[in-house]
Amino acid sequence: MEVEILCMWLGLTAYVMAGSFALIMGLVGRRGPGMGVLAMLVAGLLLHGAALGMRWERLGHGPFVNQFEILSSNLWSLTLVYAVVYWRLPRLRPLAMVVLPLLFIMGGWLLVVDPFHSEYPATYHTIWLYVHIGFGKVFLGAALVAAALGVVVLARMMAGSAPFAALPCDDALDGLAYRFMAVAFVFDTLMILAGAIWAQDAWGSYWSWDTLEVWSLINWLLIALALHLRPTLHISPRVGAVIGILVFGVAFVNFFGVPFLSRTMHRGVF
Amino acid sequence: MKPLPAPGSLLWTPWLIALLGLAAVGAAREMASPAALLGPPVALLGVNLLAAILANASFRAQPALLVFHVALLMAALLLGLGRLTYQQGWVELPIGEAFAGELSGIEQGWLHWGDLQRLVFVNEGFAREYGPDWRVKKKRTTLRWRDEEGVWRRSELGAGESLLLHGYRIDPTSNHGFAPVFEWSADPQATPIRGAVHFPSYPLYREQSHSWTIPGTDTAVLAMLLLEEAVIHPALGGVFPALPRHRLRVTAQGETRDLVPGDRFPFPGGGELRYVAMSFWMGYRVAYDWARYWLLAAFLVASGSLAWHYWRKFPS
């Protein structure tokens, strides 16, 4: 277990180093964040992934049950999605100055959550768990990037464009955010669909109107609304940015807050 | 005054989506039934979509987007039709007993056409393995059932598995409990009436007692189950059903007796109750909803076509 904890700490340290390096390079460097940040992110993913794997092996089940496991596995998957974006879309690398600090906060939160041994509920013995969670992780990752692009648009409005001068103009960022939002919509739809099938298996009902389901539906409708507002009302990049941040905010609360406050079947375990 | 947009205008769509979101919040807060709250915005979105398909050539020119929206519309229609024709309820069956065609807590749509009498299945036994803190680790339920040709078959259902029979879906629930079997004789010459009394779901309710009235009389009986050893240990877990040492404390007509299997309790006012044996009941949820598979197909088509649309829209 000591090795597992050590791997997790080293992984989180690598994320912090990657984020700090990205901030420093973005704010004072001439060329902005480069491949060094990606190398640190990959090192963090490998170490953090090893810690998750050791916990999985030790407890006999995946990190999907209590708040520590859900936070840890989502921090890993969000970092993975972002690392892929960082690698494949070099133009967007300065976005690391927005994304990685958010991931720091999640890492800090992870360190204060009790990593107690969770019991795997009988309802989790299904392939639909992995399908539902897998789609959910891609959805949240895409929503994170869309929201980060929105943060850049708003930051430019409030603080000027200097820190993000290397990024494309607001209209281009808005278009990219729209694409990521579209990807988020596809995976959110699939996540809800897989969740409904799992709920039918677990509780005998596709939909129970419990708190988490309602907020998932609201999140889905919010993305549908955002995708319809662009072609109909031709909203400005700033309004689009606010909606993108709102979508991610609702999704974040839905992933990490509602299951631990809800008293319904969907509740998580503190 | 500016005229209202045409019914197929995209200008309506964001407002109707927002209305649907408000209806969802209302449904979650149980302000009215979900069907009553969600029906109007879904219907309006359907009208908006149909009008857009008819009036908007550019919409028709994007087949993947069109398929996505039509699949969503079909899903909404299927949800509505499914609600009109569904039926669901639950039944508690002691081990060895057949379903008698009657459900408790029954809910159904106005146009339900199923026939519960066609359902013939028997509870052949079950086992739930519990870990520490009464967490369920494994489930197994055995059902014997008669197929459409009248042939008896047997199914063993694990966690999340259901029996599909004549369009009905039979799911073991998480409720099960003790079911002591009694025989009641009104007088020594009468043929005894045998029946099982279902105690509350165990281990959900640790206090086990139940009151009932002897059939054909107005004699009320209260029975309490006194367990002399743990069935499921709080720290170690265990398996249910299991039969530990126990007594049944039965009170009737002002008199109380502790009974073990085989004991008789002659009532002061006449008649005799015999505690035959301890059995166990299992809860089953029985649901009829023909629309569910079509609904699943509609959502899969919707998801696939949406991915296809964006794949074409954002080629690189």
Side-chain angles (χ1 to χ4, degrees):
Chain A
M1 192 166 165
E2 286 80 9
V3 180
E4 179 190 317
I5 293 169
L6 182 68
C7 281
M8 197 185 81
W9 272 94
L10 288 174
L12 295 187
T13 307
Y15 296 156
V16 171
M17 284 172 65
S20 307
F21 194 62
L23 273 172
I24 293 164
M25 293 302 289
L27 292 172
V28 302
R30 285 187 182 171
R31 288 185 301 169
M35 292 302 279
V37 171
L38 183 61
M40 282 181 262
L41 283 179
V42 171
L45 281 168
L46 290 172
L47 288 160
H48 186 190
L52 285 168
M54 280 183 258
R55 184 179 174 92
W56 192 321
E57 175 66 23
R58 182 164 57 82
L59 299 183
H61 64 76
F64 317 125
V65 182
N66 62 24
Q67 197 172 33
F68 176 83
E69 292 169 353
I70 291 171
L71 258 176
S72 185
S73 60
N74 277 292
L75 174 59
W76 188 85
S77 60
L78 283 173
T79 310
L80 178 67
V81 170
Y82 182 65
V84 171
V85 171
Y86 189 92
W87 172 45
R88 299 298 299 162
L89 299 172
R91 281 190 309 158
L92 296 186
R93 285 182 182 164
L95 207 58
M97 290 188 285
V98 176
V99 174
L100 295 181
L102 178 72
L103 299 182
F104 290 179
I105 295 168
M106 283 182 70
W109 186 7
L110 181 64
L111 294 176
V112 297
V113 174
D114 184 0
F116 68 90
H117 296 193
S118 56
E119 285 284 334
Y120 209 53
T123 50
Y124 280 36
H125 290 282
T126 166
I127 187 67
W128 289 106
L129 168 76
Y130 299 94
V131 178
H132 176 62
I133 287 175
F135 287 142
K137 288 184 186 307
V138 181
F139 153 61
L140 196 64
L144 168 70
V145 178
L149 290 164
V151 169
V152 171
V153 170
L154 294 183
R156 277 176 170 167
M157 182 186 78
M158 290 186 280
S161 59
F164 300 107
L167 282 168
C169 67
D170 285 356
D171 283 339
L173 292 184
D174 188 44
L176 279 167
Y178 178 59
R179 290 184 179 207
F180 278 102
M181 194 84 85
V183 173
F185 191 52
V186 172
F187 283 93
D188 191 21
T189 307
L190 290 167
M191 178 190 75
I192 292 173
L193 178 62
I197 296 168
W198 180 21
Q200 173 63 37
D201 278 351
W203 305 312
S205 169
Y206 288 101
W207 195 265
S208 308
W209 292 105
D210 76 19
T211 318
L212 193 68
E213 289 172 347
V214 171
W215 278 101
S216 293
L217 177 62
I218 288 171
N219 214 169
W220 188 84
L221 289 171
L222 201 55
I223 306 175
L225 187 68
L227 294 175
H228 280 88
L229 282 176
R230 283 171 195 261
T232 51
L233 300 182
H234 305 290
I235 53 173
S236 70
R238 289 170 189 178
V239 175
V242 171
I243 296 174
I245 294 165
L246 189 62
V247 165
F248 178 71
V250 172
F252 192 88
V253 171
N254 221 8
F255 270 67
F256 306 112
V258 174
F260 304 100
L261 299 172
S262 166
R263 291 277 162 247
T264 58
M265 290 184 292
H266 249 117
R267 68 182 176 272
V269 183
F270 275 106
Chain B
M1 192 175 153
K2 221 172 154 182
L4 282 173
S9 169
L10 264 175
L11 290 171
W12 287 110
T13 316
W15 293 105
L16 294 175
I17 290 172
L19 191 61
L20 186 56
L22 289 175
V25 173
R29 297 177 69 90
E30 297 180 0
M31 292 164 76
S33 77
L37 284 165
L38 298 174
V42 168
L44 288 171
L45 275 165
V47 170
N48 178 235
L49 173 60
L50 279 175
I53 291 169
L54 294 173
N56 191 337
S58 70
F59 194 16
R60 291 197 301 271
Q62 301 180 73
L65 193 62
L66 186 62
V67 170
F68 167 70
H69 282 90
V70 170
L72 276 189
L73 187 62
M74 293 307 298
L77 281 173
L78 284 165
L79 272 173
L81 288 172
R83 286 295 88 185
L84 284 173
T85 54
Y86 84 111
Q87 184 184 52
Q88 66 181 30
W90 48 268
V91 62
E92 295 173 2
L93 288 182
I95 292 172
E97 193 164 303
F99 174 60
E102 284 184 20
L103 292 176
S104 303
I106 201 160
E107 294 172 20
Q108 63 182 52
W110 295 339
L111 305 176
H112 174 69
W113 62 66
D115 181 8
L116 280 172
Q117 300 303 323
R118 295 174 68 204
L119 285 184
V120 181
F121 65 94
V122 179
N123 172 8
E124 290 263 288
F126 62 95
R128 287 275 158 85
E129 190 182 320
Y130 287 85
D133 295 329
W134 292 279
R135 285 180 182 272
V136 179
K137 292 174 79 175
K138 280 185 189 163
K139 300 177 178 181
R140 183 183 57 74
T141 307
T142 309
L143 286 176
R144 194 157 55 88
W145 48 280
R146 206 166 63 194
D147 70 11
E148 292 185 359
E149 281 81 40
V151 179
W152 282 95
R153 299 182 183 279
R154 181 174 277 107
S155 294
E156 193 152 294
L157 308 177
E161 292 177 333
S162 311
L163 174 65
L164 297 174
L165 196 54
H166 305 304
Y168 284 87
R169 183 180 169 118
I170 300 157
D171 294 302
T173 68
S174 54
N175 290 311
H176 41 61
F178 296 97
V181 180
F182 291 98
E183 273 183 4
W184 165 252
S185 307
D187 60 69
Q189 279 74 43
T191 308
I193 303 167
R194 181 178 282 222
V197 171
H198 294 193
F199 276 23
S201 182
Y202 185 88
L204 183 63
Y205 299 99
R206 314 285 153 70
E207 299 294 326
Q208 292 284 302
S209 66
H210 186 75
S211 60
W212 75 101
T213 305
I214 299 283
T217 73
D218 55 3
T219 301
V221 180
L222 171 68
M224 286 172 63
L225 177 62
L226 306 173
L227 295 169
E228 292 171 12
E229 53 193 329
V231 180
I232 300 165
H233 193 281
L236 304 174
V239 177
F240 190 84
L243 189 57
R245 281 201 311 275
H246 70 281
R247 287 168 294 140
L248 277 184
R249 180 158 294 165
V250 179
T251 303
Q253 297 178 348
E255 194 166 321
T256 299
R257 294 274 182 94
D258 282 0
L259 307 179
V260 294
D263 281 357
R264 296 171 186 276
F265 181 3
F267 286 4
E272 184 181 78
L273 190 70
R274 188 166 81 91
Y275 173 29
V276 179
M278 180 62 83
S279 184
F280 306 92
W281 63 266
M282 177 75 203
Y284 297 92
R285 181 188 169 93
V286 179
Y288 180 90
D289 186 1
W290 62 272
R292 64 161 63 95
Y293 301 107
W294 293 104
L295 200 55
L296 176 64
F299 277 122
L300 283 174
V301 170
S303 306
S305 54
L306 187 64
W308 177 31
H309 170 70
Y310 284 121
W311 189 263
R312 284 163 53 103
K313 192 177 171 74
F314 308 134
S316 62

